[in-house]
């Protein structure tokens, strides 16, 4: 493939063709017979390519192909599977600029946010390649009784993992979770979002180049209601990232089928500023925590609680840091904040601001679209003094809008942070001792101290996810891989049966075993 870098214009024809050939829609023939969906770049509001509108028949075929390939893949040694993903890591490393180009082109995000996706893929690939043997190999466990029984825990792949992902981080969410699933011996049937299919497809291109069996990872492009729903009715495990609303719909389907489910959902992430926080030092980091990827980031901050005593000082420093953020377009490093994804998202963000202002909120900065920069750019926005029943107070915006609320003290801040049904990420700024104590009191899957979200997200050895309405299960860490397996207990009984020697009268059996269990507890010779 001769392409090294892309331009902010339609994808070169042979590049588009290469990506389309990787879809199941192409394999079934529906790509050229059926409907098409244009893919538009938010930078220029012009089509950059198109994909097929997948059907349930495409999904059926994807599962049929993936199931055949998965049997052979699961039979391979763990080391062989690791070798493929390790080569994939190296290909991603060598092609990082091209990958960032594709991500920027279809999302309209700034280059730093696009590179965060590349880094996330590298982080996951390295970690799971290094940990796979330890996490997946048969593990000897204590048997029911020492010497008499032998037990092994085997990790069996689930089969075919269904993956449904959103548009905001299409490369990371399209392939990082899949890396663990593949290493564990599974196949994948994936549906990326309409607006961002090419990041997932270019990742698949590099997986295949790294040696992944061609049919193991199927991508069907299409709508959520049709293709996404069909995936949820056939998969052996569902990995979903998206809104809480869709997460609940999918939860019903997989719940009915008693199939495992990982749901990475929405949030309304709080930040707490303690009185001993170094506000001036951290002002730019706080702005980054709110406005990275134009706020279209599940873990970014949308509400900030600040004690009365430092409120004015905080607003001043935060406003200055926010107003220094540069907006821009294009595949370069020259600006810090890119575009929103589309017109609907722009209207949604503006509606939140208008609702807040109509109910008496004070606008500190921003509050409006920036058509001078690009069709869907929106100024980073800070509001305070929210009136009653303001939508912004409790609902996820998923855009560059944050409100700051004055509180009496940190007890009130913790109470407000915990008052919503969401619990994805939170952030605390303060002296370490204060901040750690506050972090332990917050009801959230992650709490990031003196940073917004990046250090918890990048701490790949620790499980990450949401509580309450923000999700189920976790990505990252051991759990991020073992969730894609069924633990199987294989036990061998040796020397004599569990019920004792044949000569042992039945009436002594229960007494003997309960005595042994009791002694095992007292003398600690049983686990
Ligand atoms: P969404 O739920 O509308 O869509 C996500 C995916 O689900 C898309 O691929 C979509 O086509 C598909 N889908 C939609 N309806 C479906 C249905 N009925 N059946 C099956 N599939 C369906 O979410 P979105 O608006 O695209 O993404 C933004 C949301 O995602 C925000 O709430 C954000 O917080 C959340 N998110 C969470 C994380 C996380 O890790 N927790 C990461 C990124 C985004």
């Amino acid at each position: 493939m001769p392409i090294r870098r892309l331009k902010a214009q339609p994808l070169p024809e042979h590049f588009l063709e290469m990506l389309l050939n990787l879809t199941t829609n192409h394999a079934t023939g529906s790509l050229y017979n059926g409907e098409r969906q244009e893919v538009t770049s938010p930078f220029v509001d012009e089509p950059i390519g198109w994909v097929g509108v997948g059907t349930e028949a495409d999904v059926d075929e994807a599962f049929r192909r993936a199931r055949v390939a998965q049997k052979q893949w699961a039979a391979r040694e763990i080391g062989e599977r690791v070798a493929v993903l390790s080569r994939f890591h190296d290909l991603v490393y060598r092609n990082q600029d091209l990958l960032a180009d594709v991500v920027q082109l279809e999302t309209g995000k700034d280059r730093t946010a696009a590179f965060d996706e590349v880094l996330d893929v590298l982080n996951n690939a390295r970690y799971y390649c290094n940990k796979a043997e330890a996490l997946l190999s048969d593990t000897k466990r204590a048997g029911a009784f020492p010497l008499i029984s032998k037990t092994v825990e085997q990790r069996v792949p689930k089969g075919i993992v269904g993956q449904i992902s959103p548009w905001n981080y299409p490369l990371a969410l399209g392939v990082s979770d899949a890396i663990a699933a593949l290493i564990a011996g599974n196949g994948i049937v994936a549906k990326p979002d309409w607006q961002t299919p090419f990041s997932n497809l270019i990742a698949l291109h590099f997986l295949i180049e790294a040696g992944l069996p061609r049919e193991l990872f199927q991508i069907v492009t299409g709508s959520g209601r049709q293709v996404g729903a069909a995936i949820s009715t056939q998969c052996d495990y569902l990995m979903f990232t998206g809104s809480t609303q869709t997460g609940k719909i999918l939860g019903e389907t997989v719940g009915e089928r008693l199939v495992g489910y990982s749901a990475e959902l929405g949030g309304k992430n709080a930040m707490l500023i303690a009185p001993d926080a170094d506000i001036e030092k951290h002002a730019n980091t706080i702005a980054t925590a709110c406005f990275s990827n134009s706020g279209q980031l599940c873990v970014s901050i949308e509400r900030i609680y600040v004690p009365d005593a430092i409120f004015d000082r905080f607003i001043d420093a935060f406003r200055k840091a926010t107003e220094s953020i540069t907006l821009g377009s294009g595949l370069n490093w020259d600006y810090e904040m890119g575009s929103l994804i589309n017109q609907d998202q722009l209207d949604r963000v503006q509606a939140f601001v208008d609702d807040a202002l109509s109910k008496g909120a004070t606008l500190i900065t921003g509050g409006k679209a920036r058509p001078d920069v690009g069709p869907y750019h929106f100024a980073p926005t800070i509001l305070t003094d929210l009136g009653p029943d303001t939508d912004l107070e409790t609902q996820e915006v998923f855009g560059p809008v944050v409100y700051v609320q004055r509180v009496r003290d940190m007890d009130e801040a913790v109470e407000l942070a915990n008052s919503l049904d969401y619990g994805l990420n939170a952030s605390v700024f303060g002296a370490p001792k204060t901040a750690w104590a506050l972090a332990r009191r917050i009801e959230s899957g992650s709490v990031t101290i003196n940073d917004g979200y990046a250090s918890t997200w990048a701490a790949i050895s620790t499980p990450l996810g949401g509580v309450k309405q923000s999700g189920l299960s976790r990505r990252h860490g051991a759990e991020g891989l073992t969730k894609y397996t069924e633990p199987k207990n294989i036990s061998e009984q040796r020397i004599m049966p569990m019920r004792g020697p044949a000569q042992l009268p039945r009436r002594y059996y229960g007494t003997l075993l309960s005595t042994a269990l009791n002694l095992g507890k007292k003398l600690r010779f049983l686990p």
Side-chain angles (χ1 to χ4, degrees):
M1 187 177 59
I3 294 166
R4 287 273 164 269
R5 290 290 310 267
L6 295 172
K7 295 198 170 85
Q9 60 185 38
L11 292 170
E13 203 137 311
H14 67 290
F15 186 75
L16 176 66
E17 189 79 14
M18 180 195 84
L19 296 179
L20 290 174
N21 284 348
L22 295 175
T23 60
T24 312
N25 314 53
H26 177 265
T28 59
S30 83
L31 183 68
Y32 294 102
N33 307 333
E35 265 183 81
R36 294 178 175 196
Q37 170 83 24
E38 270 183 355
V39 178
T40 301
S41 175
F43 283 140
V44 285
D45 193 22
E46 276 169 20
I48 52 166
W50 60 277
V51 287
V53 177
T55 61
E56 280 154 25
D58 291 319
V59 176
D60 290 347
E61 183 60 15
F63 273 91
R64 198 192 63 70
R65 288 169 182 248
R67 285 198 189 285
V68 174
Q70 188 266 334
K71 298 242 169 342
Q72 295 155 8
W73 177 246
R76 289 205 203 170
E77 297 287 334
I78 300 166
E80 280 182 55
R81 301 200 297 256
V82 166
V84 172
L85 274 300
S86 172
R87 284 195 292 275
F88 171 67
H89 169 283
D90 297 348
L91 284 167
V92 170
Y93 179 69
R94 285 206 294 278
N95 292 278
Q96 48 189 282
D97 274 313
L98 175 61
L99 287 161
D101 287 351
V102 176
V103 169
Q104 274 202 285
L105 205 51
E106 60 181 10
T107 61
K109 63 174 63 178
D110 61 279
R111 197 141 187 95
T112 308
F115 252 85
D116 284 346
E117 300 209 42
V118 175
L119 299 176
D120 186 67
V121 177
L122 292 173
N123 205 18
N124 276 272
R126 185 208 66 259
Y127 176 73
Y128 286 115
C129 283
N130 289 345
K131 291 285 174 193
E133 289 279 358
L135 293 173
L136 294 171
S137 300
D138 289 357
T139 311
K140 263 176 102 174
R141 300 282 182 204
F145 280 104
L147 302 175
I148 305 178
S149 352
K150 171 186 173 183
T151 295
V152 162
E153 178 186 326
Q154 185 197 1
R155 288 277 161 186
V156 183
K158 293 271 186 184
I160 304 301
V161 173
Q163 180 182 280
I164 302 173
S165 47
W167 46 263
N168 67 325
Y169 278 74
L171 177 68
L173 300 173
V175 77
S176 292
D177 296 314
I179 289 168
L182 292 168
I183 287 187
N186 298 283
I188 308 237
V189 174
K191 189 204 84 66
D193 193 275
W194 269 132
Q195 297 159 100
T196 55
F198 299 129
S199 300
N200 210 165
L201 286 166
I202 183 82
L204 178 56
H205 168 81
F206 287 124
L207 278 167
I208 293 168
E209 196 171 318
L212 196 80
R214 176 71 180 79
E215 306 288 10
L216 189 67
F217 193 143
Q218 301 284 324
I219 293 184
V220 185
T221 53
S223 76
R225 278 170 206 272
Q226 209 166 4
V227 171
I231 288 175
S232 69
T233 61
Q234 295 199 46
C235 60
D236 304 315
Y237 185 90
L238 184 61
M239 175 71 223
F240 172 71
T241 308
S243 64
T244 298
Q245 195 187 7
T246 309
K248 286 183 182 179
I249 295 171
L250 291 167
E252 275 188 36
T253 312
V254 291
E256 180 71 28
R257 298 177 53 231
L258 296 181
V259 161
Y261 184 32
S262 205
E264 303 290 342
L265 310 178
K268 183 76 187 174
N269 308 304
M271 179 183 283
L272 282 64
I273 309 291
D276 52 12
D278 189 339
I279 294 170
E280 286 72 22
K281 174 180 163 192
H282 292 302
N284 287 327
T285 310
I286 290 168
T288 303
C290 304
F291 304 120
S292 276
N293 199 28
S294 306
Q296 302 170 122
L297 172 57
C298 57
V299 286
S300 67
I301 300 300
E302 293 200 2
R303 51 194 175 120
I304 305 182
Y305 300 111
V306 186
D308 201 26
I310 56 167
F311 190 83
D312 292 341
R313 210 180 108 214
F314 176 80
I315 290 286
D316 192 40
F318 184 36
R319 182 184 52 75
K320 279 189 193 129
T322 301
E323 287 177 351
S324 75
I325 293 173
T326 52
L327 273 69
S329 278
L331 313 186
N332 60 64
W333 294 93
D334 301 344
Y335 59 95
E336 292 157 323
M337 192 168 130
S339 174
L340 298 178
I341 188 77
N342 57 26
Q343 184 67 46
D344 284 352
Q345 185 73 354
L346 185 80
D347 294 345
R348 180 185 157 82
V349 170
Q350 187 70 66
F352 271 102
V353 174
D354 293 348
D355 174 70
L357 292 176
S358 73
K359 290 171 182 164
T362 305
L363 181 69
I364 302 294
T365 187
K368 56 181 191 314
R370 289 288 308 271
D372 52 314
V373 185
Y376 309 128
H377 284 70
F378 199 92
T381 299
I382 308 173
L383 293 149
T384 60
D385 311 321
L386 295 195
D389 300 324
T390 302
D391 293 341
L392 177 63
E393 194 173 6
T394 53
Q395 294 175 29
E396 181 185 38
V397 180
F398 214 53
V401 181
V402 62
Y403 71 86
V404 188
Q405 184 165 337
R406 207 183 277 269
V407 289
R408 275 189 319 276
D409 52 26
M410 296 318 287
D411 285 341
E412 189 186 8
V414 170
E415 197 181 314
L416 288 168
N418 292 342
S419 65
L420 300 189
D421 278 343
Y422 287 120
L424 189 58
N425 179 42
S427 159
V428 182
F429 280 76
K433 196 165 169 230
T434 318
W436 278 88
L438 289 167
R440 291 183 193 285
R441 294 170 59 194
I442 295 173
E443 295 162 6
S444 169
S446 59
V447 184
T448 315
I449 293 175
N450 290 334
D451 190 16
Y453 55 83
S455 55
T456 38
W457 190 282
I460 184 101
S461 55
T462 307
L464 190 77
V467 299
K468 301 186 193 172
Q469 303 281 299
S470 288
L472 278 179
S473 185
R474 294 288 184 270
R475 51 165 60 101
H476 299 176
E479 198 177 330
L481 183 134
T482 55
K483 72 182 181 185
Y484 294 122
T485 63
E486 294 289 359
K488 189 157 104 192
N489 174 334
I490 307 180
S491 292
E492 176 193 353
Q493 191 61 18
R494 302 189 287 203
I495 307 170
M496 62 175 154
M498 274 294 284
R499 290 191 186 279
Q503 304 83 335
L504 181 74
R506 294 291 87 185
R507 66 197 154 99
Y508 292 134
Y509 161 75
T511 316
L512 191 71
L513 249 75
S514 65
T515 308
L517 289 171
N518 188 36
L519 279 176
K521 172 176 181 278
K522 288 209 162 84
L523 305 177
R524 293 174 178 263
F525 69 78
L526 289 180

